[in-house]
Amino acid sequence: MASKHWIAGIVAAAVIGVGAWVYSGAGQTAAPQSTFVLLDGSQKTTADLKGKVTLVNFWATSCTTCVAEMPEIISTYQKYQGKGFDTLAVAMSYDPPSYVVNFVESRKLPFQVALDNTGSVAKAWGDVQLTPTTFIVNKRGEIVKSYIGAPDFEQLHKLIEKLLAEPAAA
């Protein structure tokens, strides 16, 4: 019986240790090198994200959750854009460009939207296949959080505020 308690103690310590390691930021990984082709034909790279806290959202016009969360993403962008926050929406390769353009224009999306025609960006960002998938990238260009499905926007705003308060990349 004592050995079961000992093993449980070791497991608990390991879980707490891993949790502290992830929370401390030691588990953060650099955002993958990517080139985003924006709707206006210009390009943005992962390196361009540095210096700002950026929400990178993989979405599709055919995704009901994506469409439902878009007003919250717009609101989040508008709330923090003047404080060093940016948003980049990446339309999935299977989404017809004309549908994306129509959605962006009809919903008046205020942030940049990229077309991932070849699927290479989604592949680079962990082979994203489910939408919406959202990544939060800190000022140093590191992914600090990812969400599959709509995030809890109250918690997301707390994270954004924490990251905005951090010093800029050296």
Side-chain angles (χ1 to χ4, degrees):
M1 185 70 153
S3 67
K4 284 184 182 177
H5 289 296
W6 184 78
I7 291 170
I10 297 283
V11 168
V15 167
I16 291 168
V18 167
W21 176 73
V22 169
Y23 183 75
S24 72
Q28 295 171 0
T29 57
Q33 293 304 311
S34 308
T35 299
F36 305 95
V37 178
L38 305 178
L39 287 182
D40 66 6
S42 66
Q43 295 184 348
K44 188 171 195 163
T45 66
T46 306
D48 296 328
L49 305 181
K50 287 188 179 176
K52 288 190 170 193
V53 174
T54 306
L55 181 149
V56 179
N57 176 254
F58 288 84
W59 67 290
T61 59
S62 59
C63 162
T64 55
T65 304
C66 300
V67 172
E69 77 172 0
M70 202 54 80
E72 286 278 10
I73 290 177
I74 292 169
S75 175
T76 300
Y77 173 77
Q78 291 171 333
K79 181 175 183 177
Y80 297 109
Q81 71 164 343
K83 301 174 183 175
F85 176 77
D86 202 2
T87 298
L88 178 61
V90 182
M92 297 297 283
S93 62
Y94 53 80
D95 212 353
S98 61
Y99 289 23
V100 175
V101 169
N102 183 52
F103 187 93
V104 169
E105 290 175 354
S106 66
R107 304 295 198 297
K108 298 186 180 4
L109 299 189
F111 41 78
Q112 295 180 315
V113 176
L115 295 172
D116 186 17
N117 288 333
T118 64
S120 62
V121 176
K123 190 146 199 72
W125 284 71
D127 200 16
V128 173
Q129 295 185 16
L130 299 174
T131 56
T133 295
T134 303
F135 297 91
I136 302 301
V137 180
N138 67 15
K139 294 175 186 175
R140 293 179 302 281
E142 301 163 328
I143 297 171
V144 296
K145 181 91 174 153
S146 61
Y147 304 89
I148 296 175
D152 174 329
F153 281 92
E154 186 178 327
Q155 292 298 316
L156 174 63
H157 288 189
K158 288 178 183 174
L159 174 60
I160 290 168
E161 288 167 12
K162 176 180 171 261
L163 294 173
L164 287 171
E166 291 178 353

